[in-house]
Amino acid sequence: MQWFELLRHADGADRLSKEQFQTAIRAVSVDTSRFNMVEGVPHAIFDIMDTDGDNTISKAEFKKYLDVWGITDPGAMDTFHELDLDGDGEISRQEFIRAVREFFYSQDLEAPGSLFFGRLSG
């Protein structure tokens, strides 16, 4: 569903350049007419990361997610602490969803969402 929404916002292309992807991802993030990526996809990603189903992401679960994506930079685990806003050693669903919203809506490139999901350049 996410891919089809990106294509819809990229004028029906079946492959997207980096620029088309960036444009489409911005358009999809504010389009509430159909599938809202900012609200739907993050919950799905959270559920994938939360392997034990306790509605939090532990350090071990976060590390496993990084491993799946082949992210081996030792500094990547620092992002866990940035996402864990209350410092309780776990990322709650609320903290995770807040980070996703920051990624799409905040101008702050140092926001936890930007650190985890990457930076969208102008």
Side-chain angles (χ1 to χ4, degrees), residues 26 36-37 42 45 54 70 84:
R26 284 186 184 105
N36 187 333
M37 247 180 41
I45 293 170
D54 68 351
D84 178 18

Side-chain angles (χ1 to χ4, degrees), residues 26-87:
R26 284 186 184 105
V28 168
S29 71
V30 296
D31 179 5
T32 58
S33 66
R34 289 171 42 180
F35 177 72
N36 187 333
M37 247 180 41
V38 177
E39 298 303 320
V41 172
H43 286 282
I45 293 170
F46 184 92
D47 290 339
I48 289 167
M49 293 176 75
D50 180 20
T51 58
D52 64 7
D54 68 351
N55 214 31
T56 63
I57 299 168
S58 67
K59 286 182 186 175
E61 289 168 324
F62 190 83
K63 174 76 169 88
K64 186 183 294 186
Y65 185 78
L66 295 178
D67 290 345
V68 165
W69 286 100
I71 299 170
T72 58
D73 181 343
M77 279 304 290
D78 294 342
T79 305
F80 178 89
H81 301 291
E82 295 292 329
L83 294 172
D84 178 18
L85 296 174
D86 62 8

Side-chain angles (χ1 to χ4, degrees), residues 1 6 8 12 14 17 25 29 31 35 42 45 63-64 88 96 100 109-110 118:
M1 183 63 137
L6 289 174
R8 183 171 72 90
D14 62 349
S17 68
I25 203 85
S29 71
D31 179 5
F35 177 72
I45 293 170
K63 174 76 169 88
K64 186 183 294 186
D88 68 354
F96 189 80
V100 174
L109 295 179
E110 300 303 316

Side-chain angles (χ1 to χ4, degrees), residues 107-119:
Q107 297 297 317
D108 181 5
L109 295 179
E110 300 303 316
S114 292
L115 296 174
F116 181 63
F117 295 103
R119 294 186 171 111

Side-chain angles (χ1 to χ4, degrees), residues 2-16 24:
Q2 176 184 0
W3 181 247
F4 289 122
E5 286 300 299
L6 289 174
L7 292 179
R8 183 171 72 90
H9 287 282
D11 298 324
D14 62 349
R15 278 190 84 116
L16 301 178

